Amino acid sequence: IFKSFLFLTFLAFGKQESLEICEVENQSCHKEVSYEKYIFYDVNPPEGFNLRRDVYMRFAIMMAEAQESGRRLSWRLVLPPWYNLYHWKSSTTKNVPLPWGSFFDVKSMQSFSPIVELYDLFNKAKHNPVIIDRIYVLQNFADAFENGEFVEKWEVSSGCNYDGFWGYNNITAKEVVCINFQGKISKLWELIGLHPQDKYILFAHGEIALHDAYGTKTYWDCRRSMKFNDQLVQRAEEFISKYLECSTKMCNTYISVHWRRQDFARYRKKDVPSIKSTAQQIKKAVNHFNSYIHKVYIATDAAISSLRDLETELTHLGFSVYYYVPSKADIEKFRDGGVAIIDQIICSYAAYFIGTHESTFSFRIQEEREILGHDSSSTFNRFCPDSGPCERPSKWTIVY
Ligand code: GFB
């Protein structure tokens, strides 16, 4: 026997059927769509974890805004599994497609946008192969500023292919279409509208489409919904409490830095400092901010020998140096992505943060600090090169 009665009303909604469900007791109604369609997307293979998080936000905002306008209610966004990322080098964790729930609180993300994990879709499809109706492979126009002007546009082109599907062999596609594209992501609805019968669509090179709403309230609503998986937060907080002697999210016991090396140091030599200069810049920042702080947390992808050299320099300058070295068991459990997030969480709780110029890893830490409520002057700081110009980082402050 039901606690409340449900009235079901079928409404004509565009070409699809939607179901209005009303609870008699509290008079509230909501619409449910009976016919779901799915947008998949993928990102240029060499792109890293933190740019991919930004590309997700573009799609999630596009979907959320479409829902809010009351149109296209049937569309869901399929989260592309994390697979074979170039920077994720731990041999034990290669070649395993990981769902977003390994790193994020997907329920919280669903509160912002209609998303599904790929494995949910496989379950719904009762493990039959998923056949994508059309893959649109986005490509850049040869000249983005024709006649000196950036105009939003797309055109069908040629010379592309797609060999993704994240290692799964139960996904196939009927057709691949190459599209030269430039403009905001919501322009993709024009492509989707070309074939109204399509139920599964994939956009390859999703990173080519630009944000509809960078830095706006909607952007931050989406960003705030991207909470981390609880286990990662717990691991980071354990570390902070044990070594950095703090049990809140706004610590005044340590400063943190993100010291991006590897490919970044190789390709962007003019933006990254030497080891000696890194140590001196940390000392200068601490003197300026709060000279009582003597603990420094370092998040880095540097080789352990460089990290030790930096530690030696900082020790000579009077600092205690901390970094998180995951055990084998931690790597198995959290994977490279989780280890990176633990580093990011520890950086985000610190009294003061210095990041690496134009690293999306540093950008995500800055956003996290904005969400936690740190003063922005303690967040938007960067390492400068040993010599030459050093622009201040842009301040992307939170909007509620
Ligand atoms: O995240 P990401 O896109 O940031 O790529 P950038 C860097 C990857 O390197 C991270 C590892 O996802 C991590 O796997 N990594 C970097 C770190 N710093 C740290 C750290 O402090 N701790 C841990 N645990 N891992 C861009 C790339 O990187 O750099 C582009 O997205 C390109 O593909 C460009 O390679 C040069 O924005 O810094």
Side-chain angles (χ1 to χ4, degrees):
I1 296 177
F2 300 106
K3 244 179 141 193
S4 59
F5 299 97
L6 296 178
F7 285 162
L8 307 178
T9 318
F10 287 95
L11 298 174
F13 207 89
K15 279 191 181 165
Q16 285 128 31
E17 281 180 336
S18 76
L19 200 58
E20 188 162 15
I21 300 180
C22 302
E23 281 198 32
V24 172
E25 269 176 2
N26 62 11
Q27 301 269 302
S28 70
C29 300
H30 63 274
K31 285 186 187 119
E32 278 195 1
V33 175
S34 54
Y35 179 48
E36 290 183 345
K37 297 175 162 203
Y38 298 93
I39 293 175
F40 297 65
Y41 74 93
D42 204 354
V43 176
N44 189 23
E47 298 299 347
F49 188 40
N50 290 289
L51 180 84
R52 286 165 190 266
R53 284 171 60 182
D54 186 70
V55 176
Y56 159 76
M57 288 181 61
R58 302 177 208 179
F59 278 94
I61 291 171
M62 160 184 159
M63 304 299 290
E65 295 203 319
Q67 294 260 309
E68 207 159 275
S69 70
R71 291 150 65 221
R72 303 167 182 135
L73 292 180
S74 48
W75 288 99
R76 303 281 174 272
L77 181 66
V78 182
L79 298 173
W82 301 99
Y83 181 63
N84 256 353
L85 261 61
Y86 164 77
H87 302 92
W88 292 1
K89 300 209 163 102
S90 306
S91 55
T92 53
T93 63
K94 274 215 150 220
N95 299 323
V96 185
L98 296 171
W100 281 60
S102 314
F103 307 123
F104 297 95
D105 175 345
V106 172
K107 274 223 157 65
S108 170
M109 290 161 69
Q110 279 165 336
S111 70
F112 178 81
S113 194
I115 53 174
V116 291
E117 293 265 28
L118 182 55
Y119 67 78
D120 281 334
L121 189 62
F122 286 150
N123 287 341
K124 278 190 185 194
K126 302 204 166 49
H127 299 277
N128 288 318
V130 170
I131 303 166
I132 310 265
D133 293 297
R134 230 163 296 268
I135 298 180
Y136 293 102
V137 180
L138 306 183
Q139 308 181 115
N140 287 310
F141 277 89
D143 180 7
F145 292 90
E146 216 180 342
N147 307 320
E149 221 188 321
F150 182 89
V151 181
E152 292 198 54
K153 58 185 176 180
W154 59 265
E155 70 187 13
V156 177
S157 66
S158 57
C160 69
N161 65 352
Y162 180 74
D163 58 1
F165 302 136
W166 312 281
Y168 289 105
N169 54 16
N170 55 345
I171 314 180
T172 53
K174 290 183 197 158
E175 197 178 334
V176 176
V177 185
C178 313
I179 299 284
N180 290 341
F181 185 91
Q182 70 181 34
K184 297 204 182 89
I185 195 155
S186 53
K187 214 170 170 56
L188 295 181
W189 289 116
E190 292 175 17
L191 291 170
I192 296 166
L194 294 177
H195 299 278
Q197 304 311 324
D198 286 359
K199 189 176 168 194
Y200 298 99
I201 289 178
L202 188 151
F203 291 105
H205 284 278
E207 75 284 353
I208 286 181
L210 304 174
H211 264 287
D212 271 321
Y214 196 80
T216 61
K217 177 183 178 310
T218 310
Y219 174 92
W220 283 102
D221 287 348
C222 178
R223 181 63 183 79
R224 283 189 298 141
S225 74
M226 295 178 80
K227 291 188 179 149
F228 296 125
N229 166 315
D230 273 349
Q231 291 192 332
L232 300 176
V233 176
Q234 239 176 46
R235 184 71 187 89
E237 291 185 349
E238 260 168 40
F239 185 98
I240 295 171
S241 152
K242 186 165 174 191
Y243 299 107
L244 302 166
E245 297 173 299
C246 171
S247 53
T248 73
K249 294 181 194 302
M250 306 277 282
C251 299
N252 56 17
T253 51
Y254 69 101
I255 79 149
S256 65
V257 304
H258 174 228
W259 194 49
R260 179 80 159 87
R261 306 303 275 185
Q262 302 289 350
D263 49 343
F264 222 85
R266 282 197 296 278
Y267 303 128
R268 297 173 180 235
K269 281 207 174 75
K270 62 176 182 18
D271 288 322
V272 295
S274 63
I275 292 175
K276 214 179 185 66
S277 166
T278 303
Q280 283 160 353
Q281 290 182 46
I282 292 173
K283 175 80 179 157
K284 196 171 159 201
V286 172
N287 282 348
H288 182 69
F289 176 70
N290 177 351
S291 53
Y292 289 106
I293 291 181
H294 67 277
K295 290 182 187 247
V296 179
Y297 181 80
I298 301 173
T300 189
D301 59 338
I304 194 73
S305 57
S306 312
L307 180 54
R308 290 267 151 76
D309 290 347
L310 177 60
E311 183 176 12
T312 307
E313 292 289 336
L314 285 166
T315 312
H316 284 149
L317 294 173
F319 290 108
S320 315
V321 176
Y322 299 85
Y323 37 85
Y324 167 55
V325 183
S327 62
K328 255 197 161 154
D330 274 8
I331 296 181
E332 278 299 326
K333 186 169 173 195
F334 303 128
R335 314 291 177 131
D336 299 67
V339 168
I341 286 175
I342 291 168
D343 258 344
Q344 289 183 312
I345 296 172
I346 302 174
C347 285
S348 69
Y349 288 16
Y352 190 89
F353 171 69
I354 307 173
T356 296
H357 186 53
E358 287 184 350
S359 161
T360 55
F361 191 108
S362 292
F363 290 161
R364 301 291 89 85
I365 295 169
Q366 290 167 342
E367 288 165 357
E368 214 55 39
R369 292 175 61 82
E370 280 294 302
I371 291 169
L372 292 175
H374 288 282
D375 192 297
S376 60
S377 64
S378 73
T379 292
F380 295 96
N381 309 294
R382 60 163 283 196
F383 284 118
C384 292
D386 288 12
S387 59
C390 183
E391 253 175 62
R392 279 201 74 78
S394 314
K395 282 191 182 178
W396 291 102
T397 52
I398 195 161
V399 179
Y400 288 99

